[in-house]
Amino acid sequence: LQAGVWSAIGFPVTNPGARAQFYQYSNWTYQAGVFVSRSSGNIFIASLRVIWLMPFLQALNLFLFWSISMHHYWYNYSLLILCFFSGLLGGGVYVQGYSRINTDLPISLREFAISSASVADGLGILLADIFSLFIQSCIYEKNGVEGAVVSCPL
């Protein structure tokens, strides 16, 4: 979302300053959602079903933002509501996943599980960033915007 789709949204999309402004506002809004959801770790612990649901909702959010950036059917700053929701999901799955590791696993396995989850988190972010370069280039191409780092493979 952040690196690929949000950087290709602006009002108008052809204005680099407008894209930069939306990107900045969307990331601040996202971080506010992350802050709220990560603060929830001491309040409640989500079920595994809810934890598994959050990444699927995040994928739906990605598809929705991609669709909006390609077709401009909802194209104004009210999109920041979805950015906040994305932050809630991202921060929520992070804090709730680590909380479940801490409460569900025996002490002898916690350190390894937390280390494994941390490596997987970093690897997931890396792969998402690489994938986002190609998403961004396709959105730029569709909207007639120059400056993509890679070429759209489609």
Side-chain angles (χ1 to χ4, degrees):
L1 284 171
Q2 291 172 299
V5 180
W6 290 350
S7 62
I9 295 175
F11 317 112
V13 70
T14 54
N15 181 323
R19 287 193 313 272
Q21 185 176 27
F22 180 79
Y23 185 71
Q24 183 178 14
Y25 290 164
S26 62
N27 276 282
W28 278 107
T29 307
Y30 175 86
Q31 291 302 327
V34 168
F35 177 77
V36 169
S37 63
R38 286 194 181 177
S39 300
S40 71
N42 291 330
I43 299 171
F44 72 97
I45 295 180
S47 69
L48 287 177
R49 284 182 188 230
V50 170
I51 292 172
W52 277 103
L53 177 64
M54 286 189 268
F56 289 108
L57 290 174
Q58 196 74 308
L60 287 175
N61 235 0
L62 171 61
F63 177 77
L64 180 61
F65 271 107
W66 171 82
S67 176
I68 289 167
S69 68
M70 295 292 272
H71 304 292
H72 302 198
Y73 54 86
W74 175 8
Y75 218 64
N76 58 47
Y77 278 101
S78 65
L79 286 172
L80 294 177
I81 297 166
L82 285 180
C83 297
F84 183 78
F85 178 65
S86 294
L88 289 175
L89 291 173
V93 76
Y94 183 88
V95 72
Q96 294 299 326
Y98 283 104
S99 293
R100 290 303 300 242
I101 288 171
N102 193 42
T103 58
D104 293 354
L105 294 179
I107 293 174
S108 62
L109 297 177
R110 284 184 199 162
E111 184 177 355
F112 177 74
I114 288 174
S115 297
S116 298
S118 296
V119 169
D121 179 54
L123 184 60
I125 290 169
L126 174 66
L127 292 174
D129 283 344
I130 292 168
F131 187 62
S132 72
L133 291 172
F134 294 99
I135 292 173
Q136 180 192 57
S137 68
C138 293
I139 295 169
Y140 272 24
E141 185 177 294
K142 167 77 166 79
N143 288 301
V145 174
E146 304 256 336
V149 177
V150 298
S151 296
C152 179
L154 303 177

